[in-house]
Amino acid sequence: KTAYEIAQCLVGSEMCIRNRSITKVIMVRRCISIIGSGPSGFYTAHHLLQNAKVPLEVTIWEKLPVPFGLSRYGVAPDHPNVKNCEETFTDTVNKVRNDKDSIHKFNFIGNCEVGKDVQLSDLLKKQDAVVLSYGCATDNKLGIPGENDTDGVFTSRQFVNWYNGHPDFALHPKFMDFDWKSVRNVGIIGNGNVAIDIARLLLSSTVSSIWGSTDINPLALEKLRQAPIENVKIIARRDFPNSKFTNKEIREMWQLESYGVKGHIDSKFFTPEKWNMKEQARTFKRCVDLFSEYVKPYEERSAKYKKLPQPENGVFTKHWELDYLKTPLEIIKDGSSNRIKSLKLCNNTMSESNRVNAHPDKTLEYNLDLLITSLGYKGSPMSGFEELKIKFDRNKIANSQGRVLDTQENTIPGLYATGWIGKGAEGVILATMTNSFAVAENILKDLHSLPPKTTSIPSLENVNSTTWEDAEKILSFEEQEGKMKDKPREKLLTVQEMLRVVQH
């Protein structure tokens, strides 16, 4: 192409063109704000900074003083490899900030809540694009009596945030004042990976070789170690072929045998002979192979499944069970207290079209000291959605390929959604990465047609916000504290503690 034609193709540029020749080209910096610093927010930022051909100033807004969201507070502490994305994010940011030749800029504004400390509408007025990546911070509910007002009934989100040291839950009386010493029988409703993570922690909390060198909340671990847990029942509405856990997660459960923890599944729920295995997916076939071996007595298993030792004297002190085709009906309280006494359920059957048929006339009751509902996370509208007429649809922001829709199904120029808040609360971090990259690519395409706005950020008066340097100081402090205890970090459990580190 001629120089003139190339100039016409330049995006976001101010040009002075005289006699069909370029005399000067000044690239206009485009400003993008991302709300939320978890994997979806940072993967969006990563793709933008890696692939934009025009100068960008990317700003990530975070309610807490430190970044990483679900990676920091949602991943099981004994799965540190899953958190490797944090290193990728840090490298991306530091490359932009430290490279004098970089055309991009990056800002982190922590301890600042969009919708409270700064308004979403103000961001949308002043930034070329705004990306909603704040995740899902509420819970799906059973909707049964006793769910919301019974001691010893927690949601998985609350429980996970507690043992991962989230400032909103790390010291919460709901957990810290609970009588863990009387917990022997536990029920977990749901059988996704989060449910399996929770069961694994409950059954192995006293095993220092698993948890002693992790960044788990030490106060939570101390409480859990007081619980003389004997049985954990993992309850699902559907049948075995509809299990939600991955093979890796359930394998780790079976491998707890070496610590005296035995797994069980009733033979009526595990029926490979009925499942036409030739037509099943490879992952399901591997799952069936795994279960087929572990349900056998140890001496009858193939060599591959005899690598881990059995407990001393062959005695198992703790047990877990996968329980299928049950619908919870009511949480029953102890008559003399507000604590959970039992869970009433009914039996289910599966229809030929793979639908659940509940049979409330066929009830049963499980005596429980603790119940955790693991039904998935749910998104909520942010303050300012009504003003901007943003459509919220079935626990997520309505959008078309990441472009946010209004209540009339029209796209709102410059407004996007990535991650769970845009696609629903499901999928692992890898799926979040794929989604974030795709939406970020659409943002880069749309910048061609979006008119440049001002480059200013709304005023942050009276907001004690943190910068990227502040966040790094907090994270470095945690790592130093952890190093003395042979841990990757010792998390600070309150916002006040974090801010004190910044101030010193």
Side-chain angles (χ1 to χ4, degrees):
K1 294 185 177 181
T2 67
Y4 179 75
E5 289 172 322
I6 293 173
Q8 287 181 313
C9 295
L10 287 172
V11 178
S13 302
E14 294 178 355
M15 301 169 232
C16 178
I17 302 175
R18 185 176 303 148
N19 298 323
R20 297 175 68 85
S21 64
I22 303 173
T23 60
K24 188 178 182 182
V25 177
I26 303 173
M27 302 294 283
V28 175
R29 188 175 301 282
R30 310 306 295 268
C31 296
I32 300 174
S33 275
I34 300 172
I35 302 170
S37 70
S40 64
F42 255 109
Y43 273 128
T44 303
H46 173 83
H47 190 85
L48 291 171
L49 294 169
Q50 290 280 328
N51 295 278
K53 305 304 182 186
V54 297
L56 297 182
E57 181 166 359
V58 175
T59 302
I60 288 186
W61 302 76
E62 169 58 51
K63 183 170 67 173
L64 294 176
V66 291
F68 304 138
L70 189 69
S71 173
R72 178 176 166 93
Y73 293 116
V75 174
D78 63 331
H79 289 168
N81 290 341
V82 181
K83 302 184 181 187
N84 287 343
C85 59
E86 296 178 14
E87 295 180 13
T88 300
F89 303 150
T90 301
D91 290 345
T92 299
V93 170
N94 289 336
K95 182 178 180 180
V96 169
R97 294 176 64 85
N98 299 331
D99 185 355
K100 295 180 180 179
D101 295 326
S102 175
I103 64 172
H104 305 307
K105 294 182 179 180
F106 175 85
N107 306 306
F108 174 80
I109 301 178
N111 201 41
C112 181
E113 184 175 354
V114 176
K116 178 182 177 183
D117 300 313
V118 60
Q119 298 306 308
L120 178 59
S121 57
D122 288 342
L123 282 181
L124 200 55
K125 288 175 185 176
K126 297 187 176 185
Q127 300 282 281
D128 294 303
V130 175
V131 187
L132 302 168
S133 301
Y134 61 89
C136 297
T138 54
D139 308 285
N140 288 316
K141 293 283 190 174
L142 290 168
I144 62 175
E147 182 177 15
N148 299 319
D149 60 354
T150 304
D151 294 339
V153 177
F154 308 131
T155 70
S156 60
R157 180 185 63 87
Q158 295 168 341
F159 189 77
V160 169
N161 280 327
W162 174 56
Y163 71 64
N164 269 320
H166 192 292
D168 290 348
F169 293 93
L171 304 176
H172 201 291
K174 181 171 185 172
F175 295 101
M176 300 306 293
D177 295 345
F178 182 67
D179 181 15
W180 294 97
K181 295 179 180 179
S182 61
V183 176
R184 284 182 167 78
N185 298 304
V186 180
I188 301 174
I189 300 174
N191 65 6
N193 282 346
V194 173
I196 302 303
D197 283 341
I198 291 171
R200 188 176 69 256
L201 171 59
L202 290 170
L203 290 162
S204 65
S205 62
T206 57
V207 182
S208 295
S209 60
I210 297 178
W211 302 102
S213 59
T214 70
D215 63 357
I216 192 170
N217 175 0
L219 301 181
L221 186 62
E222 180 183 350
K223 290 290 184 180
L224 292 173
R225 285 176 168 172
Q226 296 175 5
I229 294 172
E230 297 173 357
N231 301 288
V232 173
K233 193 179 289 287
I234 303 168
I235 305 163
R237 292 175 64 245
R238 293 178 173 272
D239 56 3
F240 183 90
N242 284 284
S243 298
K244 298 297 183 182
F245 50 72
T246 61
N247 289 344
K248 177 182 181 298
E249 294 279 343
I250 202 65
R251 183 183 295 108
E252 288 179 329
M253 284 291 290
W254 285 110
Q255 291 175 344
L256 291 179
E257 281 187 355
S258 57
Y259 301 105
V261 180
K262 183 69 172 176
H264 305 272
I265 181 171
D266 195 300
S267 59
K268 67 184 177 183
F269 298 132
F270 186 66
T271 55
E273 67 277 4
K274 297 181 180 179
W275 294 334
N276 192 3
M277 295 303 297
K278 291 183 179 180
E279 298 182 0
Q280 299 296 331
R282 181 182 297 179
T283 54
F284 183 70
K285 290 179 180 178
R286 288 176 177 171
C287 181
V288 170
D289 289 343
L290 181 75
F291 273 74
S292 297
E293 288 290 335
Y294 275 110
V295 296
K296 296 177 184 176
Y298 181 79
E299 57 276 6
E300 295 179 16
R301 297 174 190 170
S302 61
K304 179 180 177 181
Y305 294 90
K306 290 183 179 180
K307 293 181 180 180
L308 293 175
Q310 293 290 279
E312 293 183 11
N313 303 322
V315 177
F316 292 95
T317 58
K318 299 181 181 182
H319 300 264
W320 59 274
E321 177 185 4
L322 288 172
D323 187 29
Y324 291 91
L325 295 172
K326 305 289 189 303
T327 291
L329 300 176
E330 181 183 0
I331 296 167
I332 300 170
K333 301 178 184 179
D334 185 280
S336 58
S337 69
N338 198 49
R339 284 196 58 152
I340 183 173
K341 176 184 177 184
S342 61
L343 175 67
K344 184 179 179 181
L345 314 95
C346 72
N347 288 303
N348 301 334
T349 55
M350 299 296 296
S351 70
E352 291 184 1
S353 59
N354 203 35
R355 296 179 65 88
V356 175
N357 294 320
H359 302 281
D361 57 323
K362 299 178 180 179
T363 63
L364 64 162
E365 197 168 311
Y366 295 152
N367 293 326
L368 298 175
D369 306 304
L370 173 69
L371 178 67
I372 298 173
T373 60
S374 186
L375 307 174
Y377 297 0
K378 185 171 71 171
S380 299
M382 179 184 290
S383 176
F385 275 26
E386 187 174 350
E387 174 190 355
L388 295 169
K389 294 183 170 53
I390 296 172
K391 182 177 180 180
F392 206 81
D393 181 33
R394 290 181 295 182
N395 302 328
K396 65 182 187 296
I397 297 168
N399 67 92
S400 175
Q401 296 181 319
R403 299 175 178 96
V404 173
L405 304 176
D406 64 18
T407 52
Q408 300 301 313
E409 300 287 333
N410 299 311
T411 58
I412 300 175
L415 188 59
Y416 303 84
T418 64
W420 282 5
I421 197 61
K423 67 184 184 68
E426 61 181 9
V428 295
I429 288 179
L430 180 61
T432 294
M433 179 190 73
T434 302
N435 169 262
S436 298
F437 284 3
V439 176
E441 192 61 30
N442 284 338
I443 295 171
L444 294 177
K445 292 176 183 177
D446 293 350
L447 285 177
H448 291 234
S449 57
L450 291 171
K453 298 181 182 179
T454 64
T455 60
S456 62
I457 290 174
S459 173
L460 296 177
E461 294 180 7
N462 302 319
V463 179
N464 189 15
S465 59
T466 55
T467 64
W468 182 253
E469 290 86 351
D470 294 334
E472 285 193 310
K473 188 174 181 180
I474 295 168
L475 297 174
S476 177
F477 178 86
E478 291 180 337
E479 290 171 2
Q480 291 171 10
E481 292 293 304
K483 189 175 183 180
M484 293 186 289
K485 301 177 182 179
D486 195 28
K487 299 179 178 181
R489 67 188 59 80
E490 184 79 275
K491 288 178 186 172
L492 297 172
L493 303 179
T494 68
V495 170
Q496 291 74 23
E497 287 179 298
M498 295 179 189
L499 296 180
R500 277 198 292 269
V501 169
V502 173
Q503 292 162 2
H504 286 82

